Amino acid sequence: MRPALFRTRITELLGIRHPILAGGMGPKVSDARYVAAVVNAGGMGFIVGAGYSDPVEFRAQLVQCRELTEGKPFGVNFYISRQEGGVDRVKRQIDIVIEEGVACVETAGASPEAVVPLLKQAGIKVLHKVPAVRYALSAAKLGVDGVIIVGNDCGGHPGIYGISSMVQAAHAAQVIDLPIVIGGGIGSGRQLAAVLAMGADAVLMGTRMLVSEELWIHRAAKELVVRGDGTESVVVKKAIRDHHRVFRNASAEAALALDDAKVTDFEQYRPHVMGALAHQAYVSGDTSTGMLDYGPAAVFADTVESAEAIFDRFIDDARAADDRLGSLRAAA
Ligand SMILES: Cc1cc2nc3c(=O)[nH]c(=O)nc-3n(C[C@H](O)[C@H](O)[C@H](O)COP(=O)(O)O)c2cc1C
């Protein structure tokens, strides 16, 4: 593992070596083993609560992660659904998170207002993830410890505005006085150097990490990412304002056709977008169906390797970018 290269508000807040976060990947993609690998490689990872609705299974994941990380801090992702019961589902898991000593939580989806006080009282750090700076400003008022802003390139949910990570990274630090994490299209260390230069404190990755050896998903699903150059990523479900950036397969094509026809009835999308299809694709390696979250950062994923190897190359690249800036400086 590379020694610490940067110290930022996020490395200090979370007690991690590198300012690198691996976003939660659902429903069960980022499990205890993968999150532990990310943490042991010097970053912060998040087990997705929504993947483990059975409390016994959820607790077992947390216990396993704690054992594998030997006491290092690790995180949980809470996706707060906007549908009825969304907040209650998360609240049911909060006691377990507290009891098992989880250090930090990545919230996403609806406003975290109802859960922030519960988590903060227990000393758990809360990072709220949003797809636009305007939402981060609202989250900052709720007492979160930091914000994660993902731009339009992100695998998963880029929001309705489609603002790039480049614009958001430069804008965020001007208007938000909290630790800032930038995600969406990140897969190289030079991007880390760039966002730190713009005033942010860390990066967050999803797609780039899909090739981690420690992920249980089928080897064929990882090789798909290795082969990809990012042009296979497409945003679907725009017609129902639930923009979703995924791998362009048969299910994505079907959703695109519904978008083109301006269909707003979710029931017509359901057969193509149900979570079970994506899970099946990761189990079987047949990626022709399922909404597989996938962004253009796939272009940086050139081989299947350990989380530690990914981070080592990332840090080396960030150092090279930092050196390059120094070498470009006019007149000493
Ligand atoms: C396979 C996959 C599954 C994801 N699942 C979730 C999820 O369940 N909850 C969530 O908040 N974000 C989820 N995300 C989004 C990531 O946490 C992260 O915000 C995003 O991947 C960053 O953009 P990038 O893919 O360009 O790196 C997922 C991303 C991927 C690639």
Side-chain angles (χ1 to χ4, degrees):
M1 201 201 311
R2 298 290 182 266
L5 180 60
F6 301 109
R7 204 171 78 190
T8 73
R9 291 179 294 181
I10 284 288
T11 59
E12 298 283 293
L13 177 75
L14 303 182
I16 53 178
R17 181 182 294 217
H18 301 307
I20 307 174
L21 279 55
M25 296 193 284
K28 281 188 175 177
V29 176
S30 54
D31 64 357
R33 182 163 169 263
Y34 163 75
V35 169
V38 165
V39 165
N40 289 334
M44 177 55 73
F46 304 91
I47 296 170
V48 175
Y52 305 97
S53 53
D54 172 5
V56 175
E57 200 189 355
F58 182 51
R59 190 185 294 275
Q61 283 287 313
L62 304 188
V63 169
Q64 187 189 356
C65 196
R66 201 176 55 225
E67 284 168 9
L68 291 172
T69 51
E70 296 171 342
K72 288 193 267 308
F74 66 93
V76 161
N77 167 291
F78 281 140
Y79 186 83
I80 306 169
S81 168
R82 287 187 176 79
Q83 281 158 13
E84 210 185 312
V87 169
D88 290 340
R89 266 196 293 282
V90 168
K91 278 187 174 166
R92 280 198 286 278
Q93 292 189 316
I94 287 184
D95 284 345
I96 301 175
V97 158
I98 294 170
E99 284 158 23
E100 298 303 336
V102 168
C104 72
V105 158
E106 173 193 42
T107 51
S111 166
E113 186 166 10
V115 300
V116 169
L118 304 173
L119 294 165
K120 298 280 300 181
Q121 263 163 32
I124 296 173
K125 309 286 183 236
V126 183
L127 304 175
H128 187 55
K129 182 165 68 179
V130 293
V133 171
R134 63 152 62 181
Y135 306 121
L137 288 167
S138 308
K141 293 188 193 126
L142 302 176
V144 299
D145 297 283
V147 289
I148 304 169
I149 303 169
V150 289
N152 189 42
D153 284 344
C154 73
H157 294 274
I160 57 173
Y161 298 112
I163 304 173
S164 72
S165 306
M166 187 84 170
V167 168
Q168 309 215 89
H171 178 208
Q174 286 182 324
V175 292
I176 296 169
D177 192 21
L178 278 178
I180 296 165
V181 183
I182 296 295
I186 306 286
S188 66
R190 72 204 77 158
Q191 290 166 299
L192 170 62
V195 307
L196 295 183
M198 287 192 262
D201 302 276
V203 289
L204 173 115
M205 296 189 280
T207 304
R208 169 72 182 94
M209 299 303 291
L210 281 171
V211 296
S212 302
E213 254 162 23
E214 296 87 353
L215 274 179
W216 61 267
I217 62 173
H218 198 285
R219 177 95 191 182
K222 299 181 185 180
E223 279 163 6
L224 182 84
V225 184
V226 171
R227 281 196 307 277
D229 69 359
T231 56
E232 321 74 15
S233 141
V234 65
V235 178
V236 300
K237 294 195 278 169
K238 285 184 181 171
I240 52 172
R241 290 171 71 81
D242 183 22
H243 297 42
H244 195 174
R245 185 178 285 287
V246 294
F247 178 73
R248 191 170 192 142
N249 59 12
S251 302
E253 294 289 356
L256 278 176
L258 292 169
D259 280 335
D260 285 347
K262 301 201 175 4
V263 172
T264 54
D265 170 23
F266 177 73
E267 289 311 314
Q268 294 193 45
Y269 290 82
R270 191 189 292 279
H272 310 293
V273 306
M274 10 182 238
L277 281 182
H279 186 68
Q280 186 52 31
Y282 289 128
V283 171
S284 69
D286 175 1
T287 53
S288 61
T289 56
M291 290 285 126
L292 308 179
D293 295 18
Y294 181 103
V299 72
F300 300 114
D302 50 3
T303 186
V304 176
E305 61 192 339
S306 67
E308 183 173 339
I310 294 173
F311 279 21
D312 283 354
R313 287 171 61 201
F314 203 89
I315 291 298
D316 291 347
D317 192 43
R319 183 189 291 279
D322 195 31
D323 290 349
R324 176 175 149 77
L325 265 191
S327 74
L328 291 176
R329 208 154 285 140

